[in-house]
Amino acid sequence: MNIEFQVCGLILTTLLLVFYTSHKKLGLYSEQVFFRMLLMSMLLLVLDIASVIAIACMNVWPMSLVYFICKAYVASIVLISGSVLSYLVVDVLQETRHRKFLRRWHILTLVEIIVVFLLPIKIFSENDYVYTYGPCTAAVYSMVAVNFILTYYCILRYKRRINPRRYFGVSLWLAIWAMAGVIQFFNSKLLLVGIASSLGMVTLYILLENPDANINRRFACFKPEALVAFLKQALIKKKKLGLLNISVESEHSLDSEILFASVSQMLESLKKYNEVLVFKGAAMNFVFVSSNEVQLNALAKEFAFVIAPQNYAFMGATVAKLTDVSMFEHVDDILRLCQYAKESMPGQKMIDVSEGIIANFSNRRKIEQEIKDALAENRVDVYFQPIYSVREKRFHSAEALARIRKYDNSLLMPSLFIPVAETTGSIVDIGYRIFEKTCAFLTSSEALSLGIDFIEVNLSVIQCEDEFLADRLIALMEKYKVDPRRINLEITETASIQTKEILLSNMKRLIEYGVTFSLDDFGKGESNLMYIIDMPVSFVKLDMDMSKAYFNTPKARHVVDAVEKMSHGLGLSLVAEGIETAEELRGMEKQGIDYIQGYYFSKPLSQKDFVEFLRTKNECS
């Protein structure tokens, strides 16, 4: 009997089934679909072998039984060919929609199987070679071809939505099946369909469904990709799950065997919580997920002991606890919330993610999206706050400030979006957008003819870390044909501390090009008089808090007096920010401050209002 290929395929599929069922899995819906395909593949091989045996024994067995077994075998071919399509669209359809799709597909498959059993089948048996042919098998070939065409159509139409590995694996399986089918069609003595199905399952197992591929071998827990897939399915099903996120930081290097051994020992001791799944996150983060609230709470109490200060290996560890992930729509939100909770409560080792933290995080995410949309839709506007020259008695410059215009034309103030933009890195795009709009304004407006000598533009800390900063800014000035003397760039003391070498290199090139610099927010944070000496700036801007303190404490007056004398001694001009009253203006004039900026003269103005302000104020002066 020609069953060598089928027996090999059955052995291979059986081994695959044993390996698959003996390993720990996540319980994903795609795993369920694959397992059903594995069983159908085994059924196909069993019926294939049974049909060959039945034909060989047809002189002994009732012919009705032989025909039934043979038709059952060819019907299983239709069944397995349709299952490939159902497996492929797991990435396209959510579980509920996929189950509806399966119900409809099963009805169609049932109709096809009924047709198979109604059509006559013929049997060939000569020496050791047996096979079936006739209207029944011809119909099966047609049905399989239609299923393959539909599958390839879905591959082409939904390619971007399908996991690349699934796309490749299913394509390879179809290719193997097509080759086997063509060979068997022209040489019916070679029964290759069963072994082709087995090879297809092996391909999918290796590429997608091997449970070991989801395991981090070092820590014997699931990998980050598995966490994303697991949480994604849980969110779709609105399944209530609790989550613990432990961030392991230590005085040791992250590559330290001491740290790894300590973590491995900790994870081994927690295996008693058999309803808790453990995932390796980014860096040295571990995520524990369970629907068993009792076990998760017990685990949290044990963590409180593990990360106690006396435990050196975990002295920098923190734990964030989230009681229910089902309220979220995206996996990324859950993981970022845990990180946000830790950042918002520095020094806290055990953090219960409260409704307040979730609300603050939600607001932050909305602002992040608002920034992203505003950049894409050109809703980042530049406003200008005039700066008054004490000596010339006119407004000689202005500071360019970012504003985000919302859909209702109200403004999102910088105190709300700047901290978020600095955290996400979008401050870089905002910074370059404001610089470009300032260049366009200088070129197209009357500002220069109305007495403006230059515009001050802030550089963010992240921009100051860009070694191509000078190239980018010079390119924009050349694009709008802006005289570089009309640009003054504001750097902060924080920026000068963190990125001094790169910043100094960029400053040197820009100063040679004709741009000037200001040291902004002097008197705030890590103030150091050496900044003024080290940085090639032309202006020093007193922070608003320092300006206010000048009028409230004698110590602050002495500090401002010292800064004023030192700045003027170095040939630098001094700007006071945050001046809001006539009394403050007179005090700063008496102190010898060169320039005044603040609400006493004007709040930040739109481009149109700023030009009108200059037309009114500077022409009057």
Side-chain angles (χ1 to χ4, degrees), residues 50-171:
S51 66
V52 174
I53 294 173
I55 293 172
C57 299
M58 61 181 178
N59 292 329
V60 180
W61 293 9
M63 284 304 298
S64 58
L65 178 60
V66 173
Y67 284 136
F68 177 83
I69 294 174
C70 290
K71 288 185 177 183
Y73 160 61
V74 293
S76 69
I77 298 176
V78 177
L79 189 65
I80 194 72
S81 69
S83 70
V84 180
L85 176 60
S86 68
Y87 178 74
L88 178 71
V89 295
V90 162
D91 292 329
V92 179
L93 303 175
Q94 292 184 358
E95 182 178 341
T96 52
R97 293 184 62 194
H98 190 271
R99 290 186 184 279
K100 290 180 181 178
F101 166 80
L102 281 184
R103 285 194 289 271
R104 294 170 183 171
W105 188 259
H106 288 160
I107 292 172
L108 178 61
T109 303
L110 179 61
V111 172
E112 291 176 330
I113 290 174
I114 291 172
V115 170
V116 167
F117 273 92
L118 289 176
L119 290 173
I121 191 169
K122 297 182 179 180
I123 296 173
F124 174 87
S125 177
E126 183 177 298
N127 298 326
D128 288 335
Y129 294 102
V130 298
Y131 59 86
T132 57
Y133 65 100
C136 180
T137 54
V140 167
Y141 274 110
S142 300
M143 294 171 187
V144 170
V146 170
N147 288 341
F148 278 16
I149 291 170
L150 288 174
T151 304
Y152 270 117
Y153 170 77
C154 288
I155 287 175
L156 295 175
R157 180 171 180 180
Y158 301 111
K159 184 176 180 180
R160 293 183 179 179
R161 295 169 60 184
I162 297 172
N163 182 327
R165 284 176 171 268
R166 200 181 312 278
Y167 158 80
F168 177 74
V170 170
S171 298

Side-chain angles (χ1 to χ4, degrees), residues 519 522 528-540 562-574 594:
L519 186 60
F522 187 79
N528 190 319
L529 295 177
M530 287 301 296
Y531 297 153
I532 300 178
I533 298 172
D534 292 341
M535 309 308 291
V537 297
S538 302
F539 300 85
V540 175
V563 172
E564 180 266 320
K565 287 181 171 58
M566 182 187 66
S567 298
H568 287 155
L570 293 171
L572 306 178
S573 297
L574 206 57
D594 303 291

Side-chain angles (χ1 to χ4, degrees), residues 237-305:
K237 298 173 73 172
K238 295 296 181 183
K239 183 178 181 181
K240 184 176 181 180
L241 291 173
L243 179 147
L244 292 174
N245 183 309
I246 178 169
S247 175
V248 181
E249 298 176 2
S250 173
E251 297 296 320
H252 307 299
S253 164
L254 288 181
D255 292 328
S256 168
E257 290 301 322
I258 297 175
L259 179 60
F260 284 163
S262 299
V263 172
S264 297
Q265 184 179 2
M266 175 193 73
L267 295 176
E268 183 67 27
S269 69
L270 299 176
K271 284 187 175 179
K272 57 190 175 185
Y273 299 105
N274 58 348
E275 293 187 40
V276 177
L277 295 176
V278 185
F279 299 85
K280 173 75 168 59
M284 289 299 286
N285 278 272
F286 293 86
V287 180
F288 300 78
V289 183
S290 178
S291 58
N292 188 320
E293 189 175 351
V294 174
Q295 285 202 4
L296 207 63
N297 288 336
L299 184 59
K301 291 179 180 178
E302 192 157 336
F303 273 144
F305 175 77

Side-chain angles (χ1 to χ4, degrees), residues 44 77 80-81 144 148 173-182 193 196-197:
L44 168 69
I77 298 176
I80 194 72
S81 69
V144 170
F148 278 16
W173 187 11
L174 291 179
I176 294 171
W177 251 52
M179 290 174 59
V182 170
V193 170
S197 175

